[in-house]
Amino acid sequence: MKVSVGKFVVLLVLLWSSLAMAANGDKFVFLSSTIGPIDAGIVSALEDQFEKDTGIRVRHVGAGTGAALDIARKGAIDLVMVHAKSLEESL
């Protein structure tokens, strides 16, 4: 479990860095996430803290893993949050 928590912390740091770079002076970034993290409040918590830290808003869309990755493949999103390893490898 400690390894998973460590990986999650690293992921959050990368998330913050990626969002800040993706913002590129814009006032918002786009996030596509699976429904689970949205329903659990994880996305809202991350969005709120990121906006507080940077002043940049995060706009998100909820979708299944396949749909979220398809949106990312089309380049219509700055960041994607999914949890299906077999599908993620194709991105």
Side-chain angles (χ1 to χ4, degrees):
M1 184 67 170
K2 288 181 183 180
V3 172
S4 294
V5 172
K7 287 181 180 179
F8 185 70
V9 170
V10 169
L11 175 65
L12 286 178
V13 169
L14 291 173
L15 168 78
W16 253 242
S17 302
S18 297
L19 285 174
M21 286 188 280
N24 233 2
D26 294 338
K27 296 298 178 191
F28 60 88
V29 292
F30 292 110
L31 165 70
S32 179
S33 172
T34 53
I35 302 300
I38 293 170
D39 288 347
I42 295 168
V43 170
S44 294
L46 291 173
E47 288 175 351
D48 293 345
Q49 189 62 49
F50 182 76
E51 183 174 352
K52 181 180 172 187
D53 290 350
T54 67
I56 301 167
R57 291 183 46 91
V58 179
R59 296 183 180 165
H60 73 264
V61 61
T65 297
L69 291 172
D70 285 343
I71 294 168
R73 281 186 197 97
K74 293 175 185 173
I77 211 83
D78 296 311
L79 183 70
V80 64
M81 183 187 312
V82 296
H83 53 85
K85 204 169 210 165
S86 62
L87 294 174
E88 295 166 27
E89 293 170 358
S90 67
L91 185 63

